[in-house]
Amino acid sequence: MSADAGVGADASALPARLRRTLDDLGGSFIKIGQALSMRPDLFPEPYLRQLRDLREHARPFSAQEAKAELEHALARPLSDVLRSFDSEPFAAASIAQVHHATLPYGKDVIVKIRRPHMRERIDDDMRLLVAVARLAGTAIPSLRRLQLERLAREIWTNLRRETDLLQEARNIRRFCEAYKQRTDVYVPEAIEALCRESILVQVLSHGRSIEDPAVVQDGPRIAGVLVDFYLEQLLKSGLFHGDPHPGNLFLMEDGRICFHDFGLVGYLDRTTRRNLGIFLQAFVQQDAGWMLDAAIELSLIDRTADRALFVPGIEEILSDYSSLPLKDWSIADAFLRVMRLGDGAHVAVPYNLMVLVRALFLIEGCLHRLDPDFNVLDSPIAKGEAAIADTLGGRPERAAMARLKTELALSAQDLPALLASLLHRAHQDGKEPALGLRIARSEEIERRRDRRAGLLALALLSVGLLVASALLAQVNAGPHVLGMPAAALIGFALAIWLCLRVARLARSLWQG
């Protein structure tokens, strides 16, 4: 095997290796990976796919710790609050675990309890990550444009928000109120009087996972309900569930889809919803100029950017989809590709749109499992028009539409004369008209992005090894070498080797 082949194989294994490392570290590092899965401007699709697959799982903590955490948060004995409490959790994740319980008046509930000292652990991990990001940005010039310290602090802020169970209870209330009229979707209400920052008490519900083979026979109907519900969330109310992976969705006996886990919730304001509806319409209609306008309004592309640089990229995206059957069209992928136009330059995507892209990929994955032949574009074609009309305050009157058509026709007639006048004036002033196109080579852009992503992955792996080695050193178990546990010493050595490799690769990337 050649050296180049070995390097390529090593690079192709990096996404899975990064996911496994974060998974092994657990706790806040899984949440960090989930946050990074919402950054398509930093990572190519293989990394995003692996990071989206991160699932929270961990060994449960003891019943004594769970009861102590409950009594501490509620400031009273457990028997005063609950008639019964199952000591054994029925689900355990890296951040919290869930128990069955019964309220004094007989209502069955679930009690979600955040792991003891989890907030302190998150803060410690994130302080280390911020420090490493600051050091990397200072020592490696090629990483400065990635603004790693700002990214780490943003993840820290969002991580604290997502692990605040009282905020999750408020999110549940907002969903219950916003979608109470729907008869095909169910959100179990939270008992807010018993909720705290570290505790969530929620009505118990039952059902089958949407991955259950018994549910697949009802797949087409469920897929239709999911699409309709998400279009209502994204285009009408603006409040949407940001983490719709199969573990958070199940089918109840009465046919309703039950949603769980409201730690990650996004919100789109009225203007963003309108522009999202326009983006969907432009995508369906295969109109590159219209789609570019919508992308700029959505802040996927900076308003100050040269439009001419982005039109060819959007035309290429639309051309690729035009050759596919409609069932293979992906709104999430189209969004992602637009965000990546221009090698990340002139793009400043708001956080809620990052959450949106993650949710779109997850919901499309659910749809393909439920009904491989489902056409995700059928509903957006109709719903997008209705949403645009709704955000404008109702359907425009015929007179207004007639005026719009007339003015558009007049503008189209005047446009050639206007362009000719501008060109003539430019020549008279002795200036060359600035009508040239500068299009970067897409292959080179992809190559640079992949190299930066690999570099960032290696940096994250080195951080993970440093943290893991520090934990092993504290445990102080196993054989010792030079007064330190051998496993910790090996970990530190590997981490230092990785840091040196990162520095060498960064130098070559900066020079190249």
Side-chain angles (χ1 to χ4, degrees):
M1 179 182 294
S2 67
D4 290 343
V7 172
D10 185 63
S12 66
L14 273 176
R17 194 182 305 166
L18 174 61
R19 179 185 60 77
R20 287 195 299 270
T21 299
L22 296 175
D23 195 40
D24 291 341
L25 289 170
S28 51
F29 283 91
I30 289 179
K31 285 291 187 182
I32 290 170
Q34 292 174 344
L36 291 174
S37 74
M38 297 186 292
R39 296 307 304 261
D41 53 328
L42 294 180
F43 290 92
E45 181 55 28
Y47 287 89
L48 297 175
R49 192 182 306 115
Q50 291 288 340
L51 292 172
R52 280 195 296 267
D53 285 344
L54 277 169
R55 297 286 183 88
E56 296 183 56
H57 56 84
R59 291 181 180 178
F61 51 92
S62 69
Q64 291 75 15
E65 288 178 296
K67 291 177 181 178
E69 192 71 20
L70 273 173
E71 292 183 341
H72 174 73
L74 296 170
R76 45 186 159 160
L78 195 58
S79 57
D80 292 351
V81 182
L82 301 173
R83 177 190 294 180
S84 67
F85 177 79
D86 288 357
S87 297
E88 291 297 320
F90 69 88
S94 57
I95 298 297
Q97 66 186 33
V98 187
H99 297 253
H100 285 129
T102 307
L103 298 179
Y105 54 88
K107 188 77 170 178
D108 290 329
V109 296
I110 61 168
V111 181
K112 185 176 180 180
I113 308 171
R114 194 172 66 198
R115 288 183 175 273
H117 313 297
M118 176 52 66
R119 181 55 64 87
E120 293 89 339
R121 201 172 308 158
I122 287 172
D123 289 344
D124 289 344
D125 290 341
M126 292 310 303
R127 286 192 191 97
L128 176 61
L129 191 61
V130 168
V132 171
R134 184 187 303 121
L135 180 62
T138 302
I140 307 173
S142 61
L143 294 180
R144 289 174 189 168
R145 72 180 298 274
L146 297 178
Q147 303 180 60
L148 295 182
E149 183 178 353
R150 183 192 61 77
L151 173 62
R153 292 189 180 280
E154 179 183 288
I155 291 174
W156 192 354
T157 299
N158 293 324
L159 195 53
R160 290 183 64 89
R161 184 188 300 122
E162 289 177 37
T163 54
D164 182 348
L165 300 187
L166 185 58
Q167 180 60 50
E168 183 174 348
R170 297 190 187 105
N171 292 339
I172 291 171
R173 170 164 45 84
R174 291 173 67 195
F175 262 79
C176 288
E177 292 174 353
Y179 306 111
K180 60 185 176 183
Q181 80 287 354
R182 294 196 68 109
T183 59
D184 50 8
V185 171
Y186 175 64
V187 177
E189 66 175 331
I191 315 300
E192 286 194 64
L194 298 178
C195 295
R196 301 291 187 272
E197 185 181 299
S198 60
I199 295 171
L200 173 70
V201 181
Q202 190 177 13
V203 172
L204 177 65
S205 55
H206 300 278
R208 292 176 178 270
S209 166
I210 64 168
E211 293 184 308
D212 191 320
V215 172
V216 175
Q217 60 185 358
D218 198 20
R221 182 193 68 83
I222 301 170
V225 172
L226 279 176
V227 169
D228 185 73
F229 183 44
Y230 258 86
L231 286 171
E232 180 177 352
Q233 293 177 67
L234 299 177
L235 299 178
K236 188 174 182 181
S237 71
L239 181 68
F240 66 96
H241 189 291
D243 196 20
H245 64 73
N248 289 336
L249 308 172
F250 62 79
L251 186 67
M252 302 177 69
E253 290 185 3
D254 59 8
R256 288 182 294 174
I257 301 175
C258 183
F259 279 73
H260 277 283
D261 194 348
F262 290 82
L264 182 59
V265 167
Y267 180 74
L268 307 178
D269 59 32
R270 189 181 185 88
T271 300
T272 303
R273 297 197 303 272
R274 182 191 63 197
N275 291 327
L276 179 60
I278 293 172
F279 184 92
L280 291 177
Q281 293 297 297
F283 178 51
V284 171
Q285 299 298 330
Q286 295 275 285
D287 189 322
W290 197 17
M291 194 167 165
L292 176 57
D293 289 339
I296 291 173
E297 293 300 322
L298 283 168
S299 297
L300 300 180
I301 296 173
D302 194 344
R303 293 177 184 274
T304 63
D306 185 353
R307 288 174 56 91
L309 294 176
F310 293 90
V311 171
I314 291 183
E315 288 179 341
E316 182 180 352
I317 294 170
L318 296 179
S319 175
D320 289 344
Y321 275 103
S322 66
S323 61
L324 296 175
L326 287 178
K327 70 180 183 67
D328 293 333
W329 285 33
S330 168
I331 297 170
D333 181 68
F335 234 91
L336 180 63
R337 291 181 64 179
V338 170
M339 290 170 65
R340 286 178 168 169
L341 287 176
D343 193 24
H346 307 296
V347 177
V349 182
Y351 173 73
N352 278 324
L353 287 183
M354 295 290 191
V355 178
L356 169 63
V357 173
R358 171 183 167 81
L360 287 175
F361 270 107
L362 290 173
I363 205 68
E364 286 185 1
C366 289
L367 295 176
H368 286 303
R369 290 188 188 93
L370 292 166
D371 183 4
D373 295 323
F374 189 83
N375 181 2
V376 74
L377 293 177
D378 280 342
S379 294
I381 292 172
K383 291 276 185 177
E385 293 176 349
I388 295 168
D390 180 67
T391 54
L392 291 173
R395 291 197 174 277
E397 297 296 330
R398 290 184 179 179
M401 290 299 295
R403 176 180 176 183
L404 179 60
K405 289 179 180 178
T406 301
E407 291 186 349
L408 285 174
L410 289 173
S411 297
Q413 286 181 340
D414 291 341
L415 186 58
L418 178 61
L419 287 174
S421 175
L422 289 172
L423 289 170
H424 182 67
R425 189 178 307 161
H427 282 299
Q428 282 186 330
D429 294 339
K431 298 178 181 178
E432 283 295 321
L435 298 176
L437 292 179
R438 294 183 294 111
I439 305 173
R441 290 176 55 196
S442 59
E443 290 183 1
E444 178 64 18
I445 289 172
E446 288 297 326
R447 187 181 66 82
R448 291 203 305 271
R449 183 187 295 120
D450 287 345
R451 290 180 65 188
R452 282 202 307 273
L455 189 63
L456 186 56
L458 282 175
L460 285 169
L461 285 173
S462 64
V463 171
L465 278 171
L466 284 171
V467 173
S469 302
L471 292 174
L472 287 171
Q474 290 180 356
V475 172
N476 203 30
H480 286 59
V481 177
L482 301 177
M484 183 181 296
L489 193 62
I490 293 171
F492 281 125
L494 285 173
I496 293 171
W497 178 79
L498 277 175
C499 288
L500 293 173
R501 186 177 178 187
V502 167
R504 185 167 61 253
L505 290 173
R507 191 180 304 112
S508 65
L509 181 62
W510 176 255
Q511 293 173 350

